[in-house]
Amino acid sequence: MTPAEKIAASKPLRKCREVLNGSPRDYPWTCLVRHARLSLRLSLRDVAASVGMSIAGLSQVERGAETTLRTARKLAVFFGMRLEDLWPALRSTDE
């Protein structure tokens, strides 16, 4: 179980304000962090505290701001994903 799944499992189910329609591939690459967070019904506060970011910083990443490789790796580990899963633009064009 990933750190994100552990936090999600410990919280009561609540209705998300935002509904995600379609698959993550339908979202621009900058939104996959948000998609991962919302699919587990985690708040910005939950994720930011777990990876050592400010809420504002995480919100900016979700909206497309650049981030450091260190922060990107923390987010990937937290969600149990590869960097390429959160930032598909990192994939090589050979795939």
Side-chain angles (χ1 to χ4, degrees):
M1 186 176 270
T2 67
E5 292 168 333
K6 287 178 185 174
I7 292 173
S10 71
K11 296 198 168 276
L13 289 178
R14 64 180 190 267
K15 193 172 188 174
C16 288
R17 284 189 251 167
E18 186 172 329
V19 177
L20 297 173
N21 297 316
S23 77
R25 303 247 185 254
D26 297 333
Y27 294 88
W29 70 273
T30 54
C31 293
L32 294 181
V33 172
R34 182 179 186 89
H35 184 273
R37 178 178 65 79
L38 291 176
S39 67
L40 291 169
R41 297 177 310 278
L42 296 174
S43 68
L44 281 167
R45 179 176 287 134
D46 293 332
V47 177
S50 296
V51 298
M53 294 181 73
S54 68
I55 294 169
L58 177 59
S59 178
Q60 289 172 353
V61 169
E62 288 186 350
R63 288 182 284 135
E66 290 185 15
T67 189
T68 64
L69 183 57
R70 181 178 181 192
T71 298
R73 284 184 178 146
K74 285 182 182 181
L75 288 165
V77 167
F78 178 74
F79 287 113
M81 301 171 82
R82 299 176 314 151
L83 283 173
E84 296 84 8
D85 295 333
L86 289 174
W87 283 273
L90 295 175
R91 292 188 185 125
S92 72
T93 56
D94 298 337
E95 289 184 30

